[in-house]
Amino acid sequence: MERESTRGARSAHQIYLIKDRLTRFLVEHLGFRMLFLETDWTIGMQLNEYLRTGKGDPQALLAATWGPLQTEEVLDALCWMRSYNIQNPGDTIRVFGEYLGAGHVQVSDEVANYVRINAPERLDEIETRYSFLRISGEIDKHFAWYSCQRNKQRFIDHARLAYQLIAKLPRNDGHELALQYARFILGFYEYEGFESLDLDHRMANNMIWWHENTGDKVVYWGGIAHTAKDSLLTTGRSAGSYLHEHFGSGYTSLGLTFHHGLGADYIPEPSAEFAEAFLGEVDLNAYLLNLNATQPDAVRACLNAPTKIRVIGPYYDLEKVRR
């Protein structure tokens, strides 16, 4: 799992390059085959279709994600993954989004459209199933509403019957994607409709579910507050804490941070109490520090002592920091 301490879209050029290089190493040498991005899974599915078939415009799809993913480095990484899949058709990389967003309606429409074209006599049936499941309004309100439903099984039954309907249809062009969309809708009601789960818990459960259903090793690109094993969030536990709880030593979190930088936002040198201050004294543009390696006692004591790191959100406002 690769995490970064800042996610400003143009403030983290080197961090995105490191993430790209680490991901390529994990794919080429350690057998990782799935990438999770902090985006709506409906966009993730379209990005995955690009990786699988070359259909779609990855630049346009990234433009529909949130700002920190709208970078040339992320686009380059996706294009490399597409190239890898072309060269390794039997051993491909997949990409998914972590959470369900406003695209739920769009996805059910895509499934219905496949039925309309390939089995019009079943269209009324699929429309009936999804009319019962369609989200109206904001996704967070739908989560809250669904969590209050005493009889969740009726929603699961409609989603499962819709999935089974698609699975039995002719396997024409677009069937696999329609089936995947139907599976995601079923997955939401089966696996993400838990009582009182926060966003990070839902994201973690989504990744766990995909890992268990595919067996793929997973790379998760996320902010440090979300991927850290110990929660850094004021809103509750991080996705990383849930993943570490589930996978144990099978979950590794790689923290990426920096000293200072100039991009869309200028981020100054850290003050002395932050770890970035002494890490930045190393005369290297970029490097990896193995915290598990054998070190002299004085170094080990320093690394084991409590310290602070900067955790900067998607954008950095120097004036607010000064105040």
Side-chain angles (χ1 to χ4, degrees), residues 133 153 155-165 182 186 190:
L133 303 174
Q153 190 60 48
F155 298 94
I156 295 171
D157 289 344
H158 276 284
R160 181 178 292 114
L161 288 169
Y163 171 76
Q164 292 172 351
L165 187 160
L186 173 60
E190 278 192 324

Side-chain angles (χ1 to χ4, degrees), residues 231-298:
S231 181
L232 300 174
L233 297 169
T234 59
T235 55
R237 292 177 59 185
S238 64
S241 70
Y242 292 114
L243 293 169
H244 183 246
E245 181 177 78
H246 181 85
F247 292 110
S249 60
Y251 178 78
T252 298
S253 184
L254 305 178
L256 305 180
T257 189
F258 65 100
H259 190 263
H260 67 281
L262 177 62
D265 310 301
Y266 174 69
I267 301 178
E269 296 181 3
S271 52
E273 72 267 25
F274 289 104
E276 288 87 352
F278 67 84
L279 293 175
E281 294 176 3
V282 177
D283 189 22
L284 294 171
N285 289 330
Y287 63 93
L288 297 176
L289 175 62
N290 183 358
L291 298 178
N292 297 317
T294 301
Q295 292 110 356
D297 291 343

Side-chain angles (χ1 to χ4, degrees), residues 211-232:
H211 169 75
E212 291 182 343
N213 280 270
T214 64
D216 287 344
K217 294 181 180 180
V218 178
V219 181
Y220 166 30
W221 284 9
I224 197 169
H226 295 290
T227 68
K229 294 179 183 178
D230 297 318
S231 181
L232 300 174

